[in-house]
Amino acid sequence: MASAPPAADRVYTHVKQAVLDRRYEGGTLLTEGELAQAVGVSRTPVREALLKLEMEGLLKLYPKKGALVLAVSAQEIADVVETRLLVEEFAVRRAVPAPPALLARLRELLEEQQRRAEVGDLAEVAVTDRCFHAEIVKYAGNQILARLYDQMRDRQLRMGVAVMQSHPDRIAKNITEHAEILERIEAGDAEGAAACVRQHLSWVKVLVRGDAR
């Protein structure tokens, strides 16, 4: 029988997942006592977990008060989208012509995203959405860029859920746009795929800011 994860790890996982899927939204103040009770641990591992989450930029600790969940700022959105454009346009060009394994994996993720959307599981829609793009980056073969991309994972997931909660009509559009990217990759059209990626990502910044639908 496998042993249970350490108490601090359980708190870390609980809080991080709740922040990423926006059950703990930006501006929420979390207290050590409430978290200790929710996870069933003492306050010491709670402090350890919160310190780690502060280092990751998800929380801001206030002594004797608790931890404030940081909202996603407009600047952060702009920075992430800009970085993603640089990485993903390069990656999708490098991924063409695509090996059969990549095409099969992208089709699988597209189908999974559709299934998750049909049952309204926004957190998992965001996960499969990110995985679709991450697969393309991975297959580009640049390990440094792949690591850079992985470092944006948490920010991407939070933004993805935020967009879908604020603009549920974008869920179907995202899936359609992923299908268009896949079609261009399958057709061996590197520039067409890059153009689809650029158009797809440009909407993220606009939508999260609330400027358009």
Side-chain angles (χ1 to χ4, degrees):
M1 181 177 178
S3 59
D9 289 351
R10 298 205 306 275
V11 178
Y12 171 84
T13 300
H14 168 82
V15 176
K16 183 168 185 174
Q17 191 58 52
V19 170
L20 295 184
D21 63 24
R22 289 170 60 88
R23 282 179 287 124
Y24 293 156
E25 294 192 17
T28 302
L29 184 66
L30 308 174
T31 67
E32 290 181 2
E34 289 171 343
L35 292 174
Q37 185 174 19
V39 184
V41 298
S42 67
R43 293 194 180 200
T44 299
V46 171
R47 294 190 194 102
E48 183 181 337
L50 294 181
L51 280 168
K52 185 176 179 181
L53 290 162
E54 183 180 44
M55 291 178 63
E56 293 181 8
L58 296 178
L59 308 174
K60 173 66 176 175
L61 297 184
Y62 292 93
K64 299 182 180 178
K65 291 184 179 180
L68 185 71
V69 179
L70 296 177
V72 179
S73 69
Q75 185 60 54
E76 182 180 1
I77 293 165
D79 290 349
V80 168
V81 172
E82 186 174 79
T83 305
R84 287 188 64 188
L85 281 168
L86 290 169
V87 173
E88 293 190 37
E89 283 191 59
F90 168 83
V92 80
R93 288 188 179 101
R94 284 284 294 269
V96 176
L102 173 59
L103 296 175
R105 179 61 177 151
L106 293 178
R107 281 193 290 269
E108 179 186 350
L109 287 167
L110 194 59
E111 292 167 2
E112 178 67 14
Q113 189 178 15
Q114 181 67 55
R115 286 194 293 271
R116 297 293 186 173
E118 288 171 358
V119 298
D121 189 344
L122 298 188
E124 285 301 316
V125 171
V127 169
T128 51
D129 183 311
R130 186 198 171 276
C131 285
F132 181 91
H133 293 274
E135 283 295 317
I136 297 171
V137 173
K138 183 176 74 173
Y139 270 90
N142 187 313
Q143 294 185 5
I144 294 175
L145 282 183
R147 285 195 293 270
L148 171 64
Y149 194 80
D150 284 343
Q151 290 171 6
M152 295 190 295
R153 175 184 178 276
D154 295 346
R155 291 180 172 89
Q156 286 177 250
L157 293 178
R158 289 185 78 193
M159 290 177 192
V161 175
V163 166
M164 289 183 289
Q165 287 181 338
S166 301
H167 306 280
D169 58 305
R170 275 303 299 179
I171 299 172
K173 291 177 182 177
N174 279 351
I175 294 171
T176 297
E177 289 167 8
H178 281 177
E180 290 170 353
I181 293 168
L182 177 54
E183 285 174 6
R184 292 297 90 215
I185 295 173
E186 286 179 318
D189 182 1
E191 290 306 315
C196 287
V197 166
R198 184 164 58 251
Q199 182 178 23
H200 177 62
L201 295 181
S202 295
W203 277 106
V204 178
K205 181 164 54 179
V206 175
L207 286 170
V208 177
R209 284 178 168 175
D211 296 336
R213 289 183 180 274

